[in-house]
């Protein structure tokens, strides 16, 4: 749980995210300056994998309502996913299947994640042993985490959507081309 993390945990996580996300673009590492261990919305639950070199992998989750088309849907949003660069390609991401039973304990209808298109092959392998569906052609509207005078308050982007049925079946997921987070991404 987020409340169980110490200041030292946040410092280590921030360093992990800077090193993990910087290769994808300097702006991707920027939210993790100093000891901030979250980029947008702060997670309520984290899965953190450790090895002898420190943090090896991370995934965060946050329960929230999103609007899929015109329908409010309660989800456990997944985000802040990362594997330490020296461990990429070794299959450590598959260890996050342990999140599935934890998500089921949250008693929400669906797990939900938004993924960049460049990670399509990775996420397809990642979810192949889970009852997840990966969808394209969907735009997500999110609030920016910080209000700025030089930017609009929201951003809309087309991403891949991952839906993981937990308490409901996939047939209960509404069909839509727009999802509104009504808050910042995780």
């Amino acid at each position: 749980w987020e409340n169980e993390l110490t200041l030292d945990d946040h410092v280590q996580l921030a360093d992990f995210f800077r090193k993990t996300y910087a290769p994808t673009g300097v702006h991707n590492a920027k939210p993790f300056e100093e000891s901030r261990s979250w980029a947008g919305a702060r997670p309520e639950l984290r899965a953190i994998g450790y090895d002898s070199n420190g943090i090896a992998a991370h995934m965060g989750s946050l329960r929230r309502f999103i609007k899929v088309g015109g329908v409010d849907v309660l989800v456990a949003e997944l985000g802040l996913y990362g594997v330490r660069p020296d461990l990429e390609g070794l299959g450590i991401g598959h260890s996050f299947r342990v999140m599935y039973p934890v998500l089921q304990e949250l008693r929400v209808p669906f797990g939900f994640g938004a993924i960049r298109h460049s990670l399509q092959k990775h996420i397809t392998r990642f979810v192949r042993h889970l009852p997840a569906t990966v969808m394209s052609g969907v735009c997500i509207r999110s609030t920016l985490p910080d209000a700025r005078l030089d930017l609009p308050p929201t951003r809309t982007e087309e991403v891949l959507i991952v839906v993981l049925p937990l308490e409901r079946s996939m047939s209960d997921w509404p069909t839509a081309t727009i999802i509104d987070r009504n808050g910042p991404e995780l």
Side-chain angles (χ1 to χ4, degrees), residues 88-155:
E88 289 178 0
L90 299 178
I92 193 170
H94 297 290
S95 66
F96 280 114
R97 285 194 300 257
V98 301
M99 277 292 277
Y100 185 67
V102 173
L103 293 173
Q104 288 177 311
E105 291 175 13
L106 295 177
R107 313 290 298 172
V108 297
F110 301 99
F112 164 82
I115 312 296
R116 294 187 315 270
H117 284 276
S118 61
L119 294 174
Q120 183 169 5
K121 286 182 183 177
H122 175 75
I123 198 64
T124 302
R125 283 191 315 265
F126 181 74
V127 300
R128 71 178 165 214
H129 299 293
L130 295 171
T133 300
V134 179
M135 294 180 259
S136 60
V138 180
C139 290
I140 293 194
R141 188 170 76 133
S142 306
T143 305
L144 296 180
D146 301 307
R148 295 182 41 181
L149 296 176
D150 62 334
L151 295 173
T154 61
R155 157 179 76 216

